Amino acid sequence: MATVPKSVVDRYYERRYVTDVGGRKGHHQYVHIHSNRLLVLGVTAEHVALKDMEEVVIDSKRKENQVKGKRKKGGVRLEPDTVLCRMKMKGDEDGLKGVPVRACLKGGNLIEMNMRLTENPSLLKEDPEDTGYVAIVMQRIDAGDAVLKQTISEEEYRAFLKKEEGQSEGEIRKDEETQEKEDAKVEEPAEKKRKVE
């Protein structure tokens, strides 16, 4: 029987995961780590927002991100709560922001966003850990093993999912609504502060 060749991700990247990003139940993301310090970020196939997602909106600041030279200088410095893009859901009104996809890590600079997602958001559902990636990030040299400390292995992630299977969808939705209210409280003062400046 012929063996199936390994995918590019399996051959060259270490698969790592971040669960419940931003404290939101079911908001799982992956971080694939290459030996050259490049990180590929995206949402996992199990992310709760994927089934109702219709559109991907990338912030203009992320679209305009430009890096230069061999060392990829000039990329936006990312923090765990930096929003890379938003997934808009079926039935969302135009004014609603959608579900944020965050950088979920500290210690990286944005190299590029996957602009294909704006034209073909179904890539997130069909092939989330390959052509449906969200961003490529360069890990900073001073970050050391920070990415490993902020993520879990594939085995740990699969075990986490099995444990989570017992939680009902209603409980997840209730947790999301609570988190959205808390996010609104945090974003409101920040916007007021910007207007004052």
mmCIF file of all heavy atoms in Angstrom, residues 160-189:
data_model
loop_
_atom_site.group_PDB
_atom_site.id
_atom_site.type_symbol
_atom_site.label_atom_id
_atom_site.label_comp_id
_atom_site.label_asym_id
_atom_site.label_seq_id
_atom_site.Cartn_x
_atom_site.Cartn_y
_atom_site.Cartn_z
ATOM 1 N N PHE A 160 -7.633 18.675 24.377
ATOM 2 C CA PHE A 160 -8.483 19.794 24.811
ATOM 3 C C PHE A 160 -9.841 19.731 24.111
ATOM 4 O O PHE A 160 -10.886 19.913 24.739
ATOM 5 C CB PHE A 160 -7.783 21.120 24.495
ATOM 6 C CG PHE A 160 -8.621 22.335 24.771
ATOM 7 C CD1 PHE A 160 -8.677 22.889 26.043
ATOM 8 C CD2 PHE A 160 -9.371 22.926 23.756
ATOM 9 C CE1 PHE A 160 -9.462 24.004 26.298
ATOM 10 C CE2 PHE A 160 -10.146 24.043 24.003
ATOM 11 C CZ PHE A 160 -10.196 24.579 25.282
ATOM 12 N N LEU A 161 -9.840 19.456 22.800
ATOM 13 C CA LEU A 161 -11.094 19.378 22.043
ATOM 14 C C LEU A 161 -11.988 18.251 22.547
ATOM 15 O O LEU A 161 -13.206 18.421 22.656
ATOM 16 C CB LEU A 161 -10.814 19.183 20.547
ATOM 17 C CG LEU A 161 -10.205 20.367 19.805
ATOM 18 C CD1 LEU A 161 -9.937 19.991 18.360
ATOM 19 C CD2 LEU A 161 -11.098 21.597 19.883
ATOM 20 N N LYS A 162 -11.385 17.115 22.863
ATOM 21 C CA LYS A 162 -12.172 15.995 23.382
ATOM 22 C C LYS A 162 -12.829 16.366 24.703
ATOM 23 O O LYS A 162 -13.979 16.034 24.957
ATOM 24 C CB LYS A 162 -11.288 14.754 23.558
ATOM 25 C CG LYS A 162 -10.998 14.058 22.261
ATOM 26 C CD LYS A 162 -10.220 12.792 22.480
ATOM 27 C CE LYS A 162 -9.936 12.140 21.143
ATOM 28 N NZ LYS A 162 -9.161 10.923 21.276
ATOM 29 N N LYS A 163 -12.093 17.064 25.539
ATOM 30 C CA LYS A 163 -12.621 17.506 26.830
ATOM 31 C C LYS A 163 -13.755 18.509 26.636
ATOM 32 O O LYS A 163 -14.756 18.489 27.342
ATOM 33 C CB LYS A 163 -11.487 18.136 27.648
ATOM 34 C CG LYS A 163 -11.863 18.526 29.046
ATOM 35 C CD LYS A 163 -10.667 19.103 29.768
ATOM 36 C CE LYS A 163 -11.070 19.685 31.090
ATOM 37 N NZ LYS A 163 -9.970 20.388 31.742
ATOM 38 N N GLU A 164 -13.612 19.405 25.643
ATOM 39 C CA GLU A 164 -14.610 20.446 25.361
ATOM 40 C C GLU A 164 -15.883 19.903 24.729
ATOM 41 O O GLU A 164 -16.911 20.559 24.760
ATOM 42 C CB GLU A 164 -14.019 21.507 24.428
ATOM 43 C CG GLU A 164 -13.007 22.400 25.093
ATOM 44 C CD GLU A 164 -13.638 23.420 26.007
ATOM 45 O OE1 GLU A 164 -14.416 24.243 25.517
ATOM 46 O OE2 GLU A 164 -13.360 23.373 27.207
ATOM 47 N N GLU A 165 -15.822 18.720 24.111
ATOM 48 C CA GLU A 165 -16.975 18.158 23.426
ATOM 49 C C GLU A 165 -18.206 18.074 24.317
ATOM 50 O O GLU A 165 -19.319 18.179 23.840
ATOM 51 C CB GLU A 165 -16.657 16.762 22.877
ATOM 52 C CG GLU A 165 -16.225 16.766 21.450
ATOM 53 C CD GLU A 165 -15.887 15.368 20.958
ATOM 54 O OE1 GLU A 165 -16.377 14.370 21.528
ATOM 55 O OE2 GLU A 165 -15.122 15.275 20.002
ATOM 56 N N GLY A 166 -17.986 17.935 25.596
ATOM 57 C CA GLY A 166 -19.090 17.828 26.540
ATOM 58 C C GLY A 166 -19.867 19.119 26.725
ATOM 59 O O GLY A 166 -21.010 19.121 27.175
ATOM 60 N N GLN A 167 -19.281 20.268 26.381
ATOM 61 C CA GLN A 167 -19.942 21.564 26.577
ATOM 62 C C GLN A 167 -20.911 21.827 25.432
ATOM 63 O O GLN A 167 -20.594 21.650 24.273
ATOM 64 C CB GLN A 167 -18.904 22.688 26.640
ATOM 65 C CG GLN A 167 -19.507 24.013 27.035
ATOM 66 C CD GLN A 167 -18.458 25.105 27.141
ATOM 67 O OE1 GLN A 167 -17.390 25.006 26.579
ATOM 68 N NE2 GLN A 167 -18.794 26.153 27.849
ATOM 69 N N SER A 168 -22.120 22.257 25.769
ATOM 70 C CA SER A 168 -23.147 22.493 24.751
ATOM 71 C C SER A 168 -22.884 23.777 23.978
ATOM 72 O O SER A 168 -22.193 24.681 24.447
ATOM 73 C CB SER A 168 -24.530 22.572 25.399
ATOM 74 O OG SER A 168 -24.671 23.799 26.090
ATOM 75 N N GLU A 169 -23.468 23.867 22.770
ATOM 76 C CA GLU A 169 -23.319 25.049 21.932
ATOM 77 C C GLU A 169 -23.945 26.270 22.604
ATOM 78 O O GLU A 169 -23.473 27.389 22.463
ATOM 79 C CB GLU A 169 -23.972 24.798 20.570
ATOM 80 C CG GLU A 169 -23.458 25.708 19.497
ATOM 81 C CD GLU A 169 -23.891 25.283 18.118
ATOM 82 O OE1 GLU A 169 -23.526 24.170 17.709
ATOM 83 O OE2 GLU A 169 -24.591 26.065 17.469
ATOM 84 N N GLY A 170 -25.036 26.055 23.357
ATOM 85 C CA GLY A 170 -25.698 27.149 24.073
ATOM 86 C C GLY A 170 -24.777 27.779 25.107
ATOM 87 O O GLY A 170 -24.753 28.998 25.270
ATOM 88 N N GLU A 171 -24.006 26.954 25.809
ATOM 89 C CA GLU A 171 -23.062 27.476 26.802
ATOM 90 C C GLU A 171 -21.974 28.295 26.129
ATOM 91 O O GLU A 171 -21.569 29.334 26.637
ATOM 92 C CB GLU A 171 -22.424 26.313 27.579
ATOM 93 C CG GLU A 171 -23.383 25.621 28.535
ATOM 94 C CD GLU A 171 -22.757 24.390 29.165
ATOM 95 O OE1 GLU A 171 -22.161 23.577 28.419
ATOM 96 O OE2 GLU A 171 -22.874 24.248 30.392
ATOM 97 N N ILE A 172 -21.508 27.831 24.967
ATOM 98 C CA ILE A 172 -20.475 28.561 24.219
ATOM 99 C C ILE A 172 -21.012 29.911 23.790
ATOM 100 O O ILE A 172 -20.358 30.936 23.934
ATOM 101 C CB ILE A 172 -19.991 27.738 23.007
ATOM 102 C CG1 ILE A 172 -19.185 26.534 23.493
ATOM 103 C CG2 ILE A 172 -19.152 28.593 22.059
ATOM 104 C CD1 ILE A 172 -18.799 25.557 22.412
ATOM 105 N N ARG A 173 -22.261 29.959 23.254
ATOM 106 C CA ARG A 173 -22.878 31.204 22.786
ATOM 107 C C ARG A 173 -23.033 32.197 23.937
ATOM 108 O O ARG A 173 -22.771 33.384 23.792
ATOM 109 C CB ARG A 173 -24.249 30.890 22.152
ATOM 110 C CG ARG A 173 -24.811 32.032 21.378
ATOM 111 C CD ARG A 173 -23.857 32.316 20.272
ATOM 112 N NE ARG A 173 -24.384 33.168 19.258
ATOM 113 C CZ ARG A 173 -23.653 34.027 18.620
ATOM 114 N NH1 ARG A 173 -22.404 34.195 18.935
ATOM 115 N NH2 ARG A 173 -24.139 34.732 17.653
ATOM 116 N N LYS A 174 -23.451 31.684 25.109
ATOM 117 C CA LYS A 174 -23.625 32.539 26.280
ATOM 118 C C LYS A 174 -22.286 33.163 26.692
ATOM 119 O O LYS A 174 -22.202 34.346 26.995
ATOM 120 C CB LYS A 174 -24.203 31.718 27.439
ATOM 121 C CG LYS A 174 -24.608 32.537 28.635
ATOM 122 C CD LYS A 174 -25.241 31.660 29.689
ATOM 123 C CE LYS A 174 -25.574 32.470 30.922
ATOM 124 N NZ LYS A 174 -26.111 31.630 32.006
ATOM 125 N N ASP A 175 -21.215 32.357 26.680
ATOM 126 C CA ASP A 175 -19.876 32.860 27.008
ATOM 127 C C ASP A 175 -19.434 33.929 26.009
ATOM 128 O O ASP A 175 -18.819 34.916 26.378
ATOM 129 C CB ASP A 175 -18.853 31.714 27.009
ATOM 130 C CG ASP A 175 -19.014 30.781 28.206
ATOM 131 O OD1 ASP A 175 -19.686 31.194 29.186
ATOM 132 O OD2 ASP A 175 -18.494 29.661 28.157
ATOM 133 N N GLU A 176 -19.746 33.721 24.707
ATOM 134 C CA GLU A 176 -19.374 34.696 23.674
ATOM 135 C C GLU A 176 -20.078 36.028 23.900
ATOM 136 O O GLU A 176 -19.468 37.083 23.770
ATOM 137 C CB GLU A 176 -19.761 34.166 22.286
ATOM 138 C CG GLU A 176 -18.787 33.190 21.728
ATOM 139 C CD GLU A 176 -19.160 32.775 20.317
ATOM 140 O OE1 GLU A 176 -20.197 33.225 19.789
ATOM 141 O OE2 GLU A 176 -18.392 32.010 19.729
ATOM 142 N N GLU A 177 -21.377 35.984 24.217
ATOM 143 C CA GLU A 177 -22.139 37.218 24.435
ATOM 144 C C GLU A 177 -21.577 37.999 25.622
ATOM 145 O O GLU A 177 -21.448 39.219 25.570
ATOM 146 C CB GLU A 177 -23.614 36.889 24.652
ATOM 147 C CG GLU A 177 -24.301 36.429 23.379
ATOM 148 C CD GLU A 177 -25.693 35.866 23.619
ATOM 149 O OE1 GLU A 177 -26.161 35.872 24.773
ATOM 150 O OE2 GLU A 177 -26.298 35.413 22.632
ATOM 151 N N THR A 178 -21.223 37.297 26.681
ATOM 152 C CA THR A 178 -20.619 37.938 27.849
ATOM 153 C C THR A 178 -19.297 38.595 27.465
ATOM 154 O O THR A 178 -19.023 39.721 27.854
ATOM 155 C CB THR A 178 -20.386 36.900 28.975
ATOM 156 O OG1 THR A 178 -21.628 36.271 29.271
ATOM 157 C CG2 THR A 178 -19.820 37.538 30.221
ATOM 158 N N GLN A 179 -18.470 37.881 26.679
ATOM 159 C CA GLN A 179 -17.172 38.406 26.259
ATOM 160 C C GLN A 179 -17.337 39.631 25.368
ATOM 161 O O GLN A 179 -16.598 40.597 25.484
ATOM 162 C CB GLN A 179 -16.367 37.322 25.535
ATOM 163 C CG GLN A 179 -14.953 37.732 25.202
ATOM 164 C CD GLN A 179 -14.094 37.987 26.417
ATOM 165 O OE1 GLN A 179 -14.154 37.232 27.384
ATOM 166 N NE2 GLN A 179 -13.303 39.042 26.404
ATOM 167 N N GLU A 180 -18.335 39.610 24.463
ATOM 168 C CA GLU A 180 -18.573 40.750 23.581
ATOM 169 C C GLU A 180 -18.934 41.995 24.381
ATOM 170 O O GLU A 180 -18.493 43.099 24.062
ATOM 171 C CB GLU A 180 -19.692 40.423 22.584
ATOM 172 C CG GLU A 180 -19.234 39.493 21.486
ATOM 173 C CD GLU A 180 -20.371 39.011 20.595
ATOM 174 O OE1 GLU A 180 -21.512 39.499 20.744
ATOM 175 O OE2 GLU A 180 -20.110 38.148 19.756
ATOM 176 N N LYS A 181 -19.728 41.832 25.424
ATOM 177 C CA LYS A 181 -20.093 42.970 26.279
ATOM 178 C C LYS A 181 -18.858 43.538 26.970
ATOM 179 O O LYS A 181 -18.681 44.745 27.068
ATOM 180 C CB LYS A 181 -21.137 42.543 27.313
ATOM 181 C CG LYS A 181 -22.511 42.305 26.710
ATOM 182 C CD LYS A 181 -23.483 41.808 27.748
ATOM 183 C CE LYS A 181 -24.818 41.452 27.104
ATOM 184 N NZ LYS A 181 -25.737 40.834 28.059
ATOM 185 N N GLU A 182 -17.982 42.644 27.453
ATOM 186 C CA GLU A 182 -16.752 43.092 28.107
ATOM 187 C C GLU A 182 -15.830 43.805 27.124
ATOM 188 O O GLU A 182 -15.219 44.808 27.451
ATOM 189 C CB GLU A 182 -16.034 41.896 28.750
ATOM 190 C CG GLU A 182 -16.749 41.360 29.976
ATOM 191 C CD GLU A 182 -16.081 40.123 30.549
ATOM 192 O OE1 GLU A 182 -14.918 39.840 30.206
ATOM 193 O OE2 GLU A 182 -16.743 39.431 31.331
ATOM 194 N N ASP A 183 -15.729 43.266 25.881
ATOM 195 C CA ASP A 183 -14.910 43.899 24.842
ATOM 196 C C ASP A 183 -15.415 45.298 24.531
ATOM 197 O O ASP A 183 -14.636 46.224 24.337
ATOM 198 C CB ASP A 183 -14.906 43.065 23.557
ATOM 199 C CG ASP A 183 -14.037 41.823 23.672
ATOM 200 O OD1 ASP A 183 -13.298 41.707 24.670
ATOM 201 O OD2 ASP A 183 -14.100 40.976 22.763
ATOM 202 N N ALA A 184 -16.732 45.462 24.458
ATOM 203 C CA ALA A 184 -17.329 46.769 24.155
ATOM 204 C C ALA A 184 -16.971 47.778 25.241
ATOM 205 O O ALA A 184 -16.694 48.940 24.951
ATOM 206 C CB ALA A 184 -18.842 46.639 24.019
ATOM 207 N N LYS A 185 -16.948 47.336 26.489
ATOM 208 C CA LYS A 185 -16.592 48.226 27.594
ATOM 209 C C LYS A 185 -15.138 48.670 27.487
ATOM 210 O O LYS A 185 -14.805 49.800 27.794
ATOM 211 C CB LYS A 185 -16.810 47.517 28.943
ATOM 212 C CG LYS A 185 -18.270 47.332 29.297
ATOM 213 C CD LYS A 185 -18.397 46.583 30.597
ATOM 214 C CE LYS A 185 -19.841 46.249 30.917
ATOM 215 N NZ LYS A 185 -19.967 45.413 32.116
ATOM 216 N N VAL A 186 -14.258 47.757 27.036
ATOM 217 C CA VAL A 186 -12.833 48.068 26.910
ATOM 218 C C VAL A 186 -12.586 48.988 25.717
ATOM 219 O O VAL A 186 -11.813 49.930 25.802
ATOM 220 C CB VAL A 186 -12.004 46.767 26.765
ATOM 221 C CG1 VAL A 186 -10.563 47.078 26.407
ATOM 222 C CG2 VAL A 186 -12.065 45.970 28.057
ATOM 223 N N GLU A 187 -13.241 48.706 24.569
ATOM 224 C CA GLU A 187 -13.025 49.494 23.353
ATOM 225 C C GLU A 187 -13.578 50.902 23.467
ATOM 226 O O GLU A 187 -13.039 51.843 22.912
ATOM 227 C CB GLU A 187 -13.639 48.784 22.146
ATOM 228 C CG GLU A 187 -12.856 47.560 21.729
ATOM 229 C CD GLU A 187 -13.485 46.817 20.565
ATOM 230 O OE1 GLU A 187 -14.445 47.345 19.970
ATOM 231 O OE2 GLU A 187 -13.009 45.719 20.256
ATOM 232 N N GLU A 188 -14.686 51.084 24.213
ATOM 233 C CA GLU A 188 -15.338 52.392 24.347
ATOM 234 C C GLU A 188 -14.417 53.448 24.944
ATOM 235 O O GLU A 188 -14.228 54.507 24.355
ATOM 236 C CB GLU A 188 -16.609 52.219 25.194
ATOM 237 C CG GLU A 188 -17.678 53.226 24.888
ATOM 238 C CD GLU A 188 -18.958 52.878 25.609
ATOM 239 O OE1 GLU A 188 -19.748 52.103 25.075
ATOM 240 O OE2 GLU A 188 -19.130 53.399 26.727
ATOM 241 N N PRO A 189 -13.783 53.189 26.116
ATOM 242 C CA PRO A 189 -12.880 54.210 26.674
ATOM 243 C C PRO A 189 -11.691 54.509 25.766
ATOM 244 O O PRO A 189 -11.238 55.637 25.687
ATOM 245 C CB PRO A 189 -12.404 53.598 27.993
ATOM 246 C CG PRO A 189 -13.408 52.562 28.341
ATOM 247 C CD PRO A 189 -13.975 52.082 27.038
#
